[in-house]
PDB file of all heavy atoms in Angstrom:
ATOM      1  N   VAL A  11     -31.833 -40.375  53.843  1.00 29.00           N
ATOM      2  CA  VAL A  11     -32.779 -41.105  53.008  1.00 29.00           C
ATOM      3  C   VAL A  11     -32.681 -40.612  51.579  1.00 29.00           C
ATOM      4  O   VAL A  11     -32.657 -39.418  51.320  1.00 29.00           O
ATOM      5  CB  VAL A  11     -34.225 -40.912  53.527  1.00 29.00           C
ATOM      6  CG1 VAL A  11     -35.213 -41.616  52.631  1.00 29.00           C
ATOM      7  CG2 VAL A  11     -34.348 -41.425  54.956  1.00 29.00           C
ATOM      8  N   PRO A  32     -56.901 -80.696  40.408  1.00 38.00           N
ATOM      9  CA  PRO A  32     -56.100 -80.982  39.223  1.00 38.00           C
ATOM     10  C   PRO A  32     -56.920 -80.909  37.964  1.00 38.00           C
ATOM     11  O   PRO A  32     -58.109 -81.231  37.951  1.00 38.00           O
ATOM     12  CB  PRO A  32     -55.606 -82.419  39.471  1.00 38.00           C
ATOM     13  CG  PRO A  32     -56.613 -83.014  40.406  1.00 38.00           C
ATOM     14  CD  PRO A  32     -57.078 -81.875  41.268  1.00 38.00           C
ATOM     15  N   LEU A  57     -16.941 -74.426  43.682  1.00 98.00           N
ATOM     16  CA  LEU A  57     -16.344 -73.187  44.184  1.00 98.00           C
ATOM     17  C   LEU A  57     -16.286 -72.099  43.121  1.00 98.00           C
ATOM     18  O   LEU A  57     -16.218 -72.371  41.936  1.00 98.00           O
ATOM     19  CB  LEU A  57     -14.931 -73.473  44.709  1.00 98.00           C
ATOM     20  CG  LEU A  57     -14.834 -74.559  45.783  1.00 98.00           C
ATOM     21  CD1 LEU A  57     -13.382 -74.760  46.196  1.00 98.00           C
ATOM     22  CD2 LEU A  57     -15.700 -74.241  46.996  1.00 98.00           C
ATOM     23  N   LEU A  72     -27.743 -70.792  35.209  1.00 97.00           N
ATOM     24  CA  LEU A  72     -28.265 -72.103  35.559  1.00 97.00           C
ATOM     25  C   LEU A  72     -28.825 -72.767  34.303  1.00 97.00           C
ATOM     26  O   LEU A  72     -29.425 -72.109  33.452  1.00 97.00           O
ATOM     27  CB  LEU A  72     -29.354 -71.943  36.622  1.00 97.00           C
ATOM     28  CG  LEU A  72     -30.080 -73.176  37.128  1.00 97.00           C
ATOM     29  CD1 LEU A  72     -30.391 -73.037  38.617  1.00 97.00           C
ATOM     30  CD2 LEU A  72     -31.398 -73.405  36.369  1.00 97.00           C
ATOM     31  N   LEU A  80     -29.056 -70.091  31.578  1.00 97.00           N
ATOM     32  CA  LEU A  80     -30.113 -69.097  31.739  1.00 97.00           C
ATOM     33  C   LEU A  80     -29.835 -68.266  32.985  1.00 97.00           C
ATOM     34  O   LEU A  80     -29.111 -68.695  33.884  1.00 97.00           O
ATOM     35  CB  LEU A  80     -31.476 -69.787  31.854  1.00 97.00           C
ATOM     36  CG  LEU A  80     -31.866 -70.707  30.688  1.00 97.00           C
ATOM     37  CD1 LEU A  80     -33.154 -71.470  31.013  1.00 97.00           C
ATOM     38  CD2 LEU A  80     -32.017 -69.916  29.407  1.00 97.00           C
ATOM     39  N   GLY A 102     -39.683 -76.734  25.806  1.00 96.00           N
ATOM     40  CA  GLY A 102     -40.488 -77.941  25.622  1.00 96.00           C
ATOM     41  C   GLY A 102     -40.789 -78.672  26.912  1.00 96.00           C
ATOM     42  O   GLY A 102     -41.011 -79.890  26.907  1.00 96.00           O
ATOM     43  N   SER A 136     -30.949 -83.109  40.607  1.00 97.00           N
ATOM     44  CA  SER A 136     -31.961 -83.726  39.754  1.00 97.00           C
ATOM     45  C   SER A 136     -33.239 -83.979  40.542  1.00 97.00           C
ATOM     46  O   SER A 136     -33.296 -83.776  41.764  1.00 97.00           O
ATOM     47  CB  SER A 136     -31.435 -85.033  39.168  1.00 97.00           C
ATOM     48  OG  SER A 136     -31.042 -85.922  40.189  1.00 97.00           O
ATOM     49  N   ILE A 140     -40.457 -77.768  39.735  1.00 95.00           N
ATOM     50  CA  ILE A 140     -40.406 -76.313  39.644  1.00 95.00           C
ATOM     51  C   ILE A 140     -41.754 -75.793  39.164  1.00 95.00           C
ATOM     52  O   ILE A 140     -42.606 -76.555  38.696  1.00 95.00           O
ATOM     53  CB  ILE A 140     -39.273 -75.836  38.711  1.00 95.00           C
ATOM     54  CG1 ILE A 140     -39.538 -76.246  37.258  1.00 95.00           C
ATOM     55  CG2 ILE A 140     -37.931 -76.389  39.171  1.00 95.00           C
ATOM     56  CD1 ILE A 140     -38.508 -75.681  36.271  1.00 95.00           C
ATOM     57  N   LYS A 174     -18.509 -61.145  44.282  1.00 98.00           N
ATOM     58  CA  LYS A 174     -19.516 -61.657  43.343  1.00 98.00           C
ATOM     59  C   LYS A 174     -19.261 -63.125  42.993  1.00 98.00           C
ATOM     60  O   LYS A 174     -19.233 -63.525  41.833  1.00 98.00           O
ATOM     61  CB  LYS A 174     -19.578 -60.798  42.069  1.00 98.00           C
ATOM     62  CG  LYS A 174     -19.985 -59.362  42.337  1.00 98.00           C
ATOM     63  CD  LYS A 174     -20.094 -58.560  41.040  1.00 98.00           C
ATOM     64  CE  LYS A 174     -20.499 -57.120  41.330  1.00 98.00           C
ATOM     65  NZ  LYS A 174     -20.611 -56.313  40.100  1.00 98.00           N
ATOM     66  N   SER A 180     -21.265 -79.626  50.278  1.00 98.00           N
ATOM     67  CA  SER A 180     -22.098 -80.704  50.788  1.00 98.00           C
ATOM     68  C   SER A 180     -22.307 -80.511  52.286  1.00 98.00           C
ATOM     69  O   SER A 180     -21.334 -80.359  53.029  1.00 98.00           O
ATOM     70  CB  SER A 180     -21.425 -82.056  50.549  1.00 98.00           C
ATOM     71  OG  SER A 180     -22.078 -83.074  51.278  1.00 98.00           O
ATOM     72  N   THR A 191     -20.554 -64.910  62.945  1.00 98.00           N
ATOM     73  CA  THR A 191     -21.539 -65.166  63.999  1.00 98.00           C
ATOM     74  C   THR A 191     -22.676 -66.005  63.446  1.00 98.00           C
ATOM     75  O   THR A 191     -23.240 -65.692  62.397  1.00 98.00           O
ATOM     76  CB  THR A 191     -22.105 -63.845  64.548  1.00 98.00           C
ATOM     77  OG1 THR A 191     -21.032 -63.086  65.109  1.00 98.00           O
ATOM     78  CG2 THR A 191     -23.150 -64.105  65.620  1.00 98.00           C
ATOM     79  N   THR A 206     -34.892 -64.241  63.902  1.00 98.00           N
ATOM     80  CA  THR A 206     -35.503 -63.381  64.911  1.00 98.00           C
ATOM     81  C   THR A 206     -34.627 -62.157  65.146  1.00 98.00           C
ATOM     82  O   THR A 206     -33.398 -62.281  65.288  1.00 98.00           O
ATOM     83  CB  THR A 206     -35.699 -64.141  66.223  1.00 98.00           C
ATOM     84  OG1 THR A 206     -36.534 -65.278  65.989  1.00 98.00           O
ATOM     85  CG2 THR A 206     -36.349 -63.257  67.278  1.00 98.00           C
ATOM     86  N   VAL A 223     -35.609 -64.532  55.801  1.00 97.00           N
ATOM     87  CA  VAL A 223     -34.313 -64.268  55.175  1.00 97.00           C
ATOM     88  C   VAL A 223     -34.536 -64.335  53.674  1.00 97.00           C
ATOM     89  O   VAL A 223     -34.751 -65.404  53.107  1.00 97.00           O
ATOM     90  CB  VAL A 223     -33.274 -65.311  55.634  1.00 97.00           C
ATOM     91  CG1 VAL A 223     -31.974 -65.150  54.867  1.00 97.00           C
ATOM     92  CG2 VAL A 223     -33.039 -65.190  57.130  1.00 97.00           C
ATOM     93  N   GLU A 248     -42.271 -41.403  62.710  1.00 86.00           N
ATOM     94  CA  GLU A 248     -42.344 -40.017  62.261  1.00 86.00           C
ATOM     95  C   GLU A 248     -41.651 -39.869  60.913  1.00 86.00           C
ATOM     96  O   GLU A 248     -40.842 -40.698  60.507  1.00 86.00           O
ATOM     97  CB  GLU A 248     -41.683 -39.097  63.292  1.00 86.00           C
ATOM     98  CG  GLU A 248     -42.361 -39.124  64.661  1.00 86.00           C
ATOM     99  CD  GLU A 248     -41.654 -38.236  65.665  1.00 86.00           C
ATOM    100  OE1 GLU A 248     -40.573 -37.707  65.319  1.00 86.00           O
ATOM    101  OE2 GLU A 248     -42.178 -38.077  66.778  1.00 86.00           O
ATOM    102  N   GLU A 261     -49.803 -54.306  42.393  1.00 63.00           N
ATOM    103  CA  GLU A 261     -49.186 -53.171  43.071  1.00 63.00           C
ATOM    104  C   GLU A 261     -49.192 -53.375  44.584  1.00 63.00           C
ATOM    105  O   GLU A 261     -50.170 -53.843  45.160  1.00 63.00           O
ATOM    106  CB  GLU A 261     -49.930 -51.882  42.732  1.00 63.00           C
ATOM    107  CG  GLU A 261     -49.286 -50.627  43.317  1.00 63.00           C
ATOM    108  CD  GLU A 261     -50.029 -49.361  42.933  1.00 63.00           C
ATOM    109  OE1 GLU A 261     -51.105 -49.129  43.513  1.00 63.00           O
ATOM    110  OE2 GLU A 261     -49.540 -48.625  42.073  1.00 63.00           O
ATOM    111  N   ILE A 265     -45.362 -47.801  53.376  1.00 94.00           N
ATOM    112  CA  ILE A 265     -44.938 -46.582  54.059  1.00 94.00           C
ATOM    113  C   ILE A 265     -43.463 -46.750  54.408  1.00 94.00           C
ATOM    114  O   ILE A 265     -43.043 -47.804  54.898  1.00 94.00           O
ATOM    115  CB  ILE A 265     -45.785 -46.335  55.315  1.00 94.00           C
ATOM    116  CG1 ILE A 265     -47.185 -45.867  54.906  1.00 94.00           C
ATOM    117  CG2 ILE A 265     -45.132 -45.304  56.234  1.00 94.00           C
ATOM    118  CD1 ILE A 265     -48.135 -45.668  56.051  1.00 94.00           C
ATOM    119  N   ARG A 273     -31.615 -54.935  65.930  1.00 97.00           N
ATOM    120  CA  ARG A 273     -30.538 -55.836  66.357  1.00 97.00           C
ATOM    121  C   ARG A 273     -30.776 -57.219  65.788  1.00 97.00           C
ATOM    122  O   ARG A 273     -31.808 -57.839  66.023  1.00 97.00           O
ATOM    123  CB  ARG A 273     -30.455 -55.920  67.886  1.00 97.00           C
ATOM    124  CG  ARG A 273     -29.286 -56.796  68.360  1.00 97.00           C
ATOM    125  CD  ARG A 273     -29.021 -56.607  69.837  1.00 97.00           C
ATOM    126  NE  ARG A 273     -30.032 -57.266  70.649  1.00 97.00           N
ATOM    127  CZ  ARG A 273     -29.988 -58.552  71.027  1.00 97.00           C
ATOM    128  NH1 ARG A 273     -28.996 -59.327  70.639  1.00 97.00           N
ATOM    129  NH2 ARG A 273     -30.950 -59.044  71.777  1.00 97.00           N
ATOM    130  N   LEU A 286     -43.144 -50.471  55.566  1.00 96.00           N
ATOM    131  CA  LEU A 286     -44.345 -50.987  56.204  1.00 96.00           C
ATOM    132  C   LEU A 286     -45.384 -51.305  55.132  1.00 96.00           C
ATOM    133  O   LEU A 286     -45.855 -50.413  54.430  1.00 96.00           O
ATOM    134  CB  LEU A 286     -44.920 -49.961  57.181  1.00 96.00           C
ATOM    135  CG  LEU A 286     -43.946 -49.326  58.186  1.00 96.00           C
ATOM    136  CD1 LEU A 286     -44.680 -48.313  59.055  1.00 96.00           C
ATOM    137  CD2 LEU A 286     -43.269 -50.394  59.040  1.00 96.00           C
ATOM    138  N   ASP A 300     -43.426 -62.135  59.950  1.00 96.00           N
ATOM    139  CA  ASP A 300     -43.665 -60.721  60.241  1.00 96.00           C
ATOM    140  C   ASP A 300     -43.128 -59.791  59.168  1.00 96.00           C
ATOM    141  O   ASP A 300     -43.319 -58.568  59.249  1.00 96.00           O
ATOM    142  CB  ASP A 300     -43.035 -60.360  61.594  1.00 96.00           C
ATOM    143  CG  ASP A 300     -43.649 -61.144  62.743  1.00 96.00           C
ATOM    144  OD1 ASP A 300     -44.866 -61.403  62.690  1.00 96.00           O
ATOM    145  OD2 ASP A 300     -42.907 -61.502  63.686  1.00 96.00           O
ATOM    146  N   LYS A 312     -20.435 -61.381  54.414  1.00 98.00           N
ATOM    147  CA  LYS A 312     -20.367 -62.678  53.761  1.00 98.00           C
ATOM    148  C   LYS A 312     -21.479 -63.495  54.388  1.00 98.00           C
ATOM    149  O   LYS A 312     -21.562 -63.642  55.615  1.00 98.00           O
ATOM    150  CB  LYS A 312     -19.026 -63.360  53.969  1.00 98.00           C
ATOM    151  CG  LYS A 312     -18.975 -64.762  53.354  1.00 98.00           C
ATOM    152  CD  LYS A 312     -17.647 -65.456  53.617  1.00 98.00           C
ATOM    153  CE  LYS A 312     -16.565 -64.876  52.715  1.00 98.00           C
ATOM    154  NZ  LYS A 312     -15.293 -65.641  52.862  1.00 98.00           N
ATOM    155  N   LYS A 320     -29.778 -75.422  60.480  1.00 97.00           N
ATOM    156  CA  LYS A 320     -30.717 -74.353  60.824  1.00 97.00           C
ATOM    157  C   LYS A 320     -29.974 -73.115  61.328  1.00 97.00           C
ATOM    158  O   LYS A 320     -30.253 -72.579  62.396  1.00 97.00           O
ATOM    159  CB  LYS A 320     -31.731 -74.837  61.859  1.00 97.00           C
ATOM    160  CG  LYS A 320     -32.625 -75.964  61.334  1.00 97.00           C
ATOM    161  CD  LYS A 320     -33.613 -76.435  62.365  1.00 97.00           C
ATOM    162  CE  LYS A 320     -34.458 -77.585  61.819  1.00 97.00           C
ATOM    163  NZ  LYS A 320     -35.391 -78.113  62.824  1.00 97.00           N
ATOM    164  N   PRO A 333     -23.568 -46.284  53.502  1.00 91.00           N
ATOM    165  CA  PRO A 333     -24.895 -45.675  53.635  1.00 91.00           C
ATOM    166  C   PRO A 333     -25.966 -46.605  53.092  1.00 91.00           C
ATOM    167  O   PRO A 333     -25.715 -47.408  52.191  1.00 91.00           O
ATOM    168  CB  PRO A 333     -24.787 -44.396  52.793  1.00 91.00           C
ATOM    169  CG  PRO A 333     -23.333 -44.131  52.670  1.00 91.00           C
ATOM    170  CD  PRO A 333     -22.662 -45.472  52.671  1.00 91.00           C
TER     171      PRO A 333
END
Side-chain angles (χ1 to χ4, degrees):
V11 178
L57 304 179
L72 178 144
L80 303 173
S136 57
I140 66 175
K174 298 182 180 180
S180 168
T191 299
T206 301
V223 173
E248 298 178 353
E261 184 179 75
I265 287 177
R273 183 167 74 86
L286 311 179
D300 298 325
K312 177 182 284 186
K320 296 180 182 177

